[in-house]
Amino acid sequence: MKTKIPYWRLSGFYFFYFATLGGFLPYWSLYLKECQFSAAEIGELTAFMVGTKIIAPNLWGWIADQTGKSLRVIRIASFLAMLLFAGFIYQQSFLWFAFVTVSFSFFWNAALPQFEAATLHHLKDERHRYSYIRLWGSIGFIATVLGVGYLLDLYSIKLLPYLIVALLASIWLISLLTPEVSTAKASQAALRIWQIVKQPEIIAFLLVYMLLQAAHGPYYVFFSIYLKQLGYTSSMIGMFWSLGAGAEIIVFVLMRPLLKFVSLRRLLLVSALLSVLRWLMIAWYADNIYMLLGAQVLHAATFGTAHVAAIHLVQSYFGQHHQGKGQALYSSFSFGIGGMLGGLYSGYAWDALGGQWVYSFAAILSALAYIIAVIWVGKGKAFSH
């Protein structure tokens, strides 16, 4: 008997998760700057946050695969993330912020990879519907980016941590409404995961996504600060972030018919090439509003198509028994190691070299990712039609 997919509850989780990210990502660096932290300290705090993705998703992925209870892991992690984030309201020293950042993000970074795995388990043979569910995350992101930007223009940026705590509470509440999915517990088959990971194509795949995310480092950490320096308001900054997420939505809507004609390998290669173009546009033409609009539209490729390709690849290679660990491994290498390196190099180089050269270096990283992908990635069955 065919089980009904809980479309709206799965979509609801993505909506609230990325709504929280929409309140956090564009404005947190501005909040840290308001708290008198230097560019290097902002880069370090960001690196601490994404650095926990190296360990946390793998630990939680192992627990989820051992128990077969992904949603239970997500509920616990979401609740503790909400509780710990409230610590930012308590005081504003660097050491305290570093402690709260690591503690909060250890649980925050557990939820999404496991929910990706749970969603794919729910979809079973209908995985082509993934992009229609995931697009609600982009809608949530846009709604919050615009709403928070408007509020911060009206009131003080000191309001931000309170707004994010409320958004984190919404993730926990929607996770309580989302049904658990029955999955096979890990058995002796778990030993075979290293036979998957040691394949040259998988190693190259992880390296490519690590480089692509490292290239996104100055975007996630300093894009809002960069635009502030160029004279854009908080509302306009929110609009630019929203445009990137809006371009993602178009990609997610078109992905199902697109995959009938374009291989995942080609999507990845085009995404990497367009990443080079995007970072160069932001580096040298961000003061031109039309060029900046064009660069933000390219987020559809630099993140949207690249991410969909990755999700499909992970599912194909890691199978049902290793789905949680596979998604966690992808998250650890790309958003974890890549994100941490991106936060560190952009933080240390920002004051010394300036935004133009930092974003130019991001373009070089994307070019390197493209070369590796051309040579090694996507020549197996997982990337073919």
Side-chain angles (χ1 to χ4, degrees):
M1 178 175 149
K2 193 171 179 180
T3 353
K4 188 178 177 183
I5 296 168
Y7 176 85
W8 289 111
R9 282 172 285 179
L10 294 175
S11 300
F13 183 91
Y14 283 107
F15 179 91
F16 287 112
Y17 185 92
F18 285 95
T20 304
L21 206 59
F24 182 87
L25 203 54
Y27 305 114
W28 191 245
S29 60
L30 295 175
Y31 178 74
L32 295 178
K33 193 172 176 63
E34 179 69 19
C35 294
Q36 306 302 312
F37 294 120
S38 68
E41 288 173 329
I42 292 171
E44 287 171 358
L45 288 170
T46 305
F48 292 153
M49 179 167 293
V50 295
T52 58
K53 290 185 180 181
I54 300 169
I55 298 170
N58 292 295
L59 174 61
W60 293 109
W62 180 84
I63 293 171
D65 283 345
Q66 289 294 318
T67 60
K69 301 289 183 185
S70 296
L71 260 298
R72 184 174 297 173
V73 167
I74 292 163
R75 288 163 188 157
I76 293 169
S78 299
F79 177 77
L80 291 174
M82 171 191 67
L83 205 62
L84 288 163
F85 192 90
F88 285 117
I89 300 167
Y90 179 63
Q91 62 169 277
Q92 294 181 351
S93 71
F94 178 78
L95 286 177
W96 176 254
F97 263 49
F99 170 74
V100 175
T101 296
V102 171
S103 305
F104 146 74
S105 55
F106 180 78
F107 295 100
W108 163 254
N109 290 329
L112 187 60
Q114 295 317 308
F115 198 81
E116 298 275 31
T119 299
L120 292 171
H121 280 306
H122 271 296
L123 292 176
K124 295 184 174 65
D125 296 329
E126 298 183 73
R127 64 180 185 175
H128 55 269
R129 296 180 64 184
Y130 167 80
S131 57
Y132 293 161
I133 292 172
R134 173 60 180 78
L135 67 84
W136 284 98
S138 302
I139 293 171
F141 185 92
I142 291 171
T144 315
V145 165
L146 293 176
V148 170
Y150 177 74
L151 285 173
L152 296 184
D153 274 343
L154 286 180
Y155 305 102
S156 167
I157 198 163
K158 298 290 186 182
L159 182 66
L160 187 62
Y162 297 92
L163 294 174
I164 295 174
V165 169
L167 289 166
L168 286 165
S170 69
I171 297 176
W172 174 57
L173 291 172
I174 193 66
S175 72
L176 297 177
L177 299 175
T178 308
E180 184 68 82
V181 61
S182 300
T183 61
K185 294 183 184 180
S187 61
Q188 292 301 317
L191 297 174
R192 295 199 297 271
I193 190 170
W194 299 112
Q195 295 172 359
I196 299 171
V197 174
K198 69 182 182 182
Q199 294 177 54
E201 184 171 338
I202 299 298
I203 294 170
F205 161 77
L206 293 172
L207 183 57
V208 164
Y209 276 90
M210 183 187 78
L211 289 168
L212 289 176
Q213 281 304 311
H216 278 75
Y219 175 67
Y220 291 137
V221 183
F222 289 105
F223 186 61
S224 296
I225 292 174
Y226 189 48
L227 296 190
K228 274 281 186 186
Q229 290 171 347
L230 292 171
Y232 295 102
T233 65
S234 293
S235 296
M236 291 180 76
I237 291 169
M239 182 199 71
F240 286 120
W241 281 93
S242 298
L243 180 61
E248 276 181 29
I249 294 174
I250 296 170
V251 163
F252 291 137
V253 169
L254 296 178
M255 189 54 63
R256 181 178 176 182
L258 189 63
L259 286 174
K260 294 178 181 176
F261 303 103
V262 183
S263 70
L264 293 172
R265 170 180 166 82
R266 181 159 296 183
L267 283 178
L268 175 55
L269 294 178
V270 170
S271 298
L273 267 183
L274 290 177
S275 294
V276 178
L277 177 62
R278 184 189 185 196
W279 305 133
L280 289 176
M281 289 171 72
I282 291 176
W284 300 101
Y285 301 102
D287 56 341
N288 183 317
I289 191 168
Y290 299 106
M291 293 292 280
L292 192 56
L293 289 170
Q296 285 305 91
V297 169
L298 289 179
H299 190 71
T302 67
F303 177 79
T305 54
H307 178 65
V308 170
I311 292 295
H312 282 273
L313 179 69
V314 169
Q315 188 188 35
S316 298
Y317 270 115
F318 287 88
Q320 185 181 6
H321 286 292
H322 305 300
Q323 195 57 214
K325 290 188 287 293
Q327 294 294 343
L329 197 63
Y330 159 63
S331 179
S332 295
F333 269 84
S334 59
F335 303 107
I337 298 174
M340 181 180 69
L341 293 175
L344 287 174
Y345 83 75
S346 57
Y348 291 136
W350 192 261
D351 286 337
L353 301 177
Q356 289 181 325
W357 290 108
V358 171
Y359 280 110
S360 296
F361 183 70
I364 293 171
L365 293 179
S366 295
L368 183 57
Y370 173 77
I371 292 167
I372 295 170
V374 167
I375 299 170
W376 283 291
V377 178
K379 296 183 176 178
K381 63 178 183 178
F383 272 80
S384 61
H385 291 299

